[in-house]
Amino acid sequence: MNHQFPSPNHLPSRRSMLLAGLGAALSAPFLSACAGFDTSGAAAGSGTVSFLSTQFTPVEEKQRYEQVLKKSLRVPVAYNAVDPSVFASTVKTQTSAQNIRTSLLGGLHGELAPLAGSLENVDSILSDLAGRGFAKEILELTKAGTSSAKYVPWMQATYVVAINKKALEWLPSGVDVNNLSYEDYLAWAKAAKQGAGRPVFGMPAGPKGLHHRFYQGFLLPSFTGGQITTFRSPDAVEAWKYMQDLWDNMVPASTNFDAMQEPLGRGEVLVAWDHVARLIKAPADNPGEWLMVPAPQGPKGRGYMLIVAGLALPTGGTERELAEQVIRGLSEPLTQVETLRQNAFFPTVQTELPTDLAGAIALEAGAVRLQQRSEGALLALPPVGLGAKEGEVSQIFKNVFQEVCLNNQDIQPVLDRQAKELNTIVQELNVPCWAPDPVSAKCEVA
């Protein structure tokens, strides 16, 4: 079955489908990839686009994407994949020295937005590409708080729930697996634990797991309608009470899981939420035995985290004309589909996905479409504008999990204490809030 993504003219609402598919970026693990790469772009040489990116840092992903570039573009490209901190410091240093040695930048919205003052306006390019069908809410994000677009949408990602069909025997009667509530999800986890004689639900709560994104983009938005401003609210207390109950019915070894595809693949876990790039291998050999479904819905809606990566032009960058050609080439539907095939990151353009995609990718496409089209869909973004402090903010959410779910401490005092730490960081940075919190001059916990 082909997956036809709707055009912006047929988007149901701001709270429904933002994307045509997924895409990714270093919500999947950032590896420190600066070693061995010339981040100055000097090695690119005349006539070659020096492409500095935070995406596809793992060696195999980088190599596959380099093949996409060679196959899809007629422009020579030197693709340098680096850690986000290296990315930011390189752009800032070159801008400060007025010695720009890169041609093209690729990063997450949250990585590009703070650099908006060092990026060229790309309104004219987006005007030329209007027929590609970028969703209007994504186009609004490209402005990065300014009046003009600062990047062209490149690819996007989110998180879904992977299910081994063996777990369906414990799904409560009358529950639609494609339209789960958080109550349904918990009841299912309890029934599965009892029926299997052991917990079979899991989550990536290991040292490099992305469980903080679950709290930031799914649990808290679904229960509180926010991420930062509602951090210590009564609704947040209820969210963490729920999380305590859910954790009691999860595989205890989840604290060792950095990515769920491995425990899912070996049958240790039968149901798990994770980033799409970290679920892809679980159904690889037997996709017919698996389902991918949307995250659950809570009292405030179906919170889901959207990860948008963009392509930007550094002000005064090298090989400007060739860099624009690369942007246009990477926005071609066939190129975006090839990126999907190689690295499981979905298009930002309106396109029909081919029927011969790997089974896991097709499963994920259906889940994401349902998740974003669902009534009450509530967009959440990863933290924006925090720079090196982003890790500290994410650690605060992990700390709450540690204290509340693992150490069984009283929830409100934990939230109050962690809220002080959170406010110290965001007040120092003086950054505006990001979705789903309302845009404001500054962002802080109420």
Side-chain angles (χ1 to χ4, degrees), residues 164-177:
N164 186 313
K165 289 182 179 179
K166 294 177 182 177
L168 293 178
E169 69 173 290
W170 303 299
L171 183 69
S173 177
V175 170
D176 181 355
V177 73

Side-chain angles (χ1 to χ4, degrees), residues 160-171 177 180 185 188-189 191-203 249-252 254 257 259-274 279 282-283 286 289-293 363:
V160 296
V161 176
I163 300 167
N164 186 313
K165 289 182 179 179
K166 294 177 182 177
L168 293 178
E169 69 173 290
W170 303 299
L171 183 69
V177 73
L180 294 165
Y185 198 65
W188 188 12
K193 179 180 179 180
Q194 181 176 0
R198 65 176 181 89
V200 297
F201 278 52
M203 68 181 301
N249 292 278
M250 284 193 168
V251 174
S254 290
F257 299 154
M260 295 310 301
Q261 56 194 5
E262 289 84 5
L264 285 166
R266 60 178 177 260
E268 184 177 359
V269 173
L270 299 182
V271 180
W273 167 98
D274 206 349
L279 293 174
N286 51 354
E289 298 177 12
W290 292 85
L291 296 174
M292 299 278 191
V293 304
L363 290 172

Side-chain angles (χ1 to χ4, degrees), residues 69-102:
L69 296 174
K70 291 179 182 179
K71 177 179 180 179
S72 305
L73 304 176
R74 297 181 179 179
V75 177
V77 176
Y79 187 74
N80 292 341
V82 299
D83 182 274
S85 61
V86 175
F87 178 83
S89 63
T90 299
V91 175
K92 291 176 181 177
T93 299
Q94 292 185 8
T95 299
S96 178
Q98 297 184 337
N99 183 23
I100 311 302
R101 305 177 73 183
T102 53

Side-chain angles (χ1 to χ4, degrees), residues 131-441:
R132 299 286 163 85
F134 298 116
K136 61 181 180 180
E137 289 90 344
I138 294 181
L139 291 177
E140 187 63 29
L141 288 177
T142 66
K143 296 180 182 179
T146 71
S147 59
S148 301
K150 294 296 184 178
Y151 64 82
V152 173
W154 178 18
M155 56 192 182
Q156 50 193 315
T158 189
Y159 302 70
V160 296
V161 176
I163 300 167
N164 186 313
K165 289 182 179 179
K166 294 177 182 177
L168 293 178
E169 69 173 290
W170 303 299
L171 183 69
S173 177
V175 170
D176 181 355
V177 73
N178 286 302
N179 188 26
L180 294 165
S181 68
Y182 276 94
E183 290 76 12
D184 295 335
Y185 198 65
L186 177 58
W188 188 12
K190 289 180 176 179
K193 179 180 179 180
Q194 181 176 0
R198 65 176 181 89
V200 297
F201 278 52
M203 68 181 301
K208 297 181 180 179
L210 301 175
H211 62 119
H212 56 289
R213 297 305 193 206
F214 179 72
Y215 319 131
Q216 292 171 333
F218 293 80
L219 181 73
L220 291 179
S222 297
F223 277 79
T224 76
Q227 181 184 127
I228 302 298
T229 61
T230 58
F231 180 86
R232 58 176 299 276
S233 67
D235 287 337
V237 173
E238 291 303 312
W240 285 105
K241 285 181 180 177
Y242 172 88
M243 191 63 217
Q244 284 180 323
D245 288 340
L246 184 62
W247 180 253
D248 285 343
N249 292 278
M250 284 193 168
V251 174
S254 290
T255 52
N256 299 320
F257 299 154
D258 291 334
M260 295 310 301
Q261 56 194 5
E262 289 84 5
L264 285 166
R266 60 178 177 260
E268 184 177 359
V269 173
L270 299 182
V271 180
W273 167 98
D274 206 349
H275 187 284
V276 290
R278 296 181 171 203
L279 293 174
I280 204 77
K281 294 181 181 179
D285 297 328
N286 51 354
E289 298 177 12
W290 292 85
L291 296 174
M292 299 278 191
V293 304
Q297 178 160 327
K300 302 293 185 180
R302 192 184 306 276
Y304 73 96
M305 183 168 278
L306 169 65
I307 301 165
V308 178
L311 299 165
L313 297 168
T315 301
T318 63
E319 303 293 352
R320 171 64 182 270
E321 183 177 342
L322 293 179
E324 288 194 22
Q325 289 184 39
V326 172
I327 290 177
R328 296 171 195 275
L330 294 181
S331 300
E332 289 283 350
L334 289 178
T335 307
Q336 297 227 327
V337 169
E338 187 63 22
T339 300
L340 172 62
R341 287 186 187 279
Q342 296 302 322
N343 281 343
F345 301 142
F346 282 62
T348 55
V349 302
Q350 177 191 347
T351 186
E352 185 175 276
L353 298 185
T355 57
D356 62 345
L357 290 172
I361 295 175
L363 290 172
E364 289 180 340
V368 170
R369 187 174 66 252
L370 288 173
Q371 182 164 276
Q372 295 165 342
R373 283 179 172 176
S374 64
E375 184 178 355
L378 181 60
L379 166 68
L381 293 175
V384 176
L386 302 186
K389 295 288 186 178
E390 198 280 330
E392 295 181 28
V393 168
S394 291
Q395 185 61 47
I396 286 172
F397 289 86
K398 295 178 183 179
N399 290 344
V400 176
F401 167 75
Q402 172 77 33
E403 295 182 32
V404 168
C405 295
L406 301 186
N407 300 339
N408 293 312
Q409 296 187 21
D410 290 341
I411 296 172
Q412 189 68 66
V414 170
L415 294 181
D416 291 342
R417 184 169 59 253
Q418 294 295 333
K420 291 180 181 179
E421 300 292 330
L422 185 53
N423 269 342
T424 297
I425 296 172
V426 295
Q427 288 172 356
E428 176 186 346
L429 296 174
N430 195 30
V431 294
C433 272
W434 50 90
D437 287 307
V439 176
S440 60

